[in-house]
């Protein structure tokens, strides 16, 4: 079984954005929830907020961890966008919609699918 989690609440979208106070509390609360799932491996993006979201669980359970850049959030644009929310919505209406050399929804979906395909299937 593969479980997918989004990172806890962060201070922003920057690569090194930290968790907020609420995000840290949520990460601590995840420990109890995740402990019931019999997790044997964790994959995270290289973004700080993803590791910080799982860190309390890892501290208690020492589960093997793999960083995979293919799990990084997509880059919507390589230029600042004032109306980024409108543009983001467009990417969900049209999976081939690209903004200023950014990644399309289809490209991001295919990249992340490759991660799932590369995860060894437990034959137990």
């Amino acid at each position: 079984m593969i479980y997918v989690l989004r990172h806890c609440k962060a201070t922003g979208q920057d690569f090194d954005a930290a968790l907020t106070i609420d995000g840290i509390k949520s990460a601590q609360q995840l420990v109890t929830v995740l402990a019931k799932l019999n997790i044997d491996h964790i994959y995270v993006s290289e973004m700080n907020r993803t590791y910080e979201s799982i860190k309390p669980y890892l501290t208690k359970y020492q589960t093997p961890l793999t960083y995979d850049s293919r799990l990084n959030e997509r880059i919507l644009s390589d230029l600042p966008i004032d109306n980024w929310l409108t543009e983001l919505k467009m990417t969900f209406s049209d999976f081939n919609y690209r903004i200023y050399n950014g990644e399309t929804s289809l490209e991001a979906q295919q990249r992340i699918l490759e991660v799932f395909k590369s995860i060894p299937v437990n034959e137990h």
Side-chain angles (χ1 to χ4, degrees):
M1 176 90 47
I2 295 175
Y3 301 98
V4 179
L5 298 176
R6 190 168 192 277
H7 61 79
C8 297
K9 190 172 182 181
T11 58
Q13 294 299 309
D14 295 334
F15 191 85
D16 292 324
L19 295 183
T20 63
I21 299 290
D22 286 341
I24 293 168
K25 288 177 186 174
S26 294
Q28 292 165 343
Q29 293 169 343
L30 269 176
V31 175
T32 306
V33 175
L34 296 176
K36 299 174 185 175
L37 300 179
N38 195 25
I39 297 170
D40 59 14
H41 202 102
I42 295 174
Y43 294 82
V44 297
S45 78
E46 295 174 334
M47 303 176 108
N48 181 56
R49 58 189 168 272
T50 61
Y51 174 75
E52 291 299 320
S53 295
I54 202 68
K55 184 179 176 181
Y57 177 83
L58 291 172
T59 300
K60 186 167 184 177
Y61 292 100
Q62 292 84 42
T63 304
L65 176 75
T66 299
Y67 288 95
D68 194 321
S69 62
R70 296 175 296 176
L71 293 172
N72 289 355
E73 290 185 24
R74 73 177 167 148
I75 303 298
L76 189 59
S77 167
D78 64 354
L79 298 173
I81 306 172
D82 290 334
N83 62 335
W84 66 271
L85 188 55
T86 301
E87 295 290 335
L88 177 65
K89 288 178 183 177
M90 285 291 299
T91 68
F92 291 107
S93 300
D94 177 356
F95 270 45
N96 291 305
Y97 185 69
R98 183 183 314 278
I99 310 160
Y100 305 122
N101 297 315
E103 187 176 32
T104 69
S105 291
L106 183 60
E107 290 167 337
Q109 185 181 57
Q110 290 170 340
R111 172 174 50 84
I112 292 167
L113 214 57
E114 287 303 314
V115 176
F116 286 99
K117 291 177 183 176
S118 71
I119 296 173
V121 178
N122 190 348
E123 303 275 335
H124 300 11

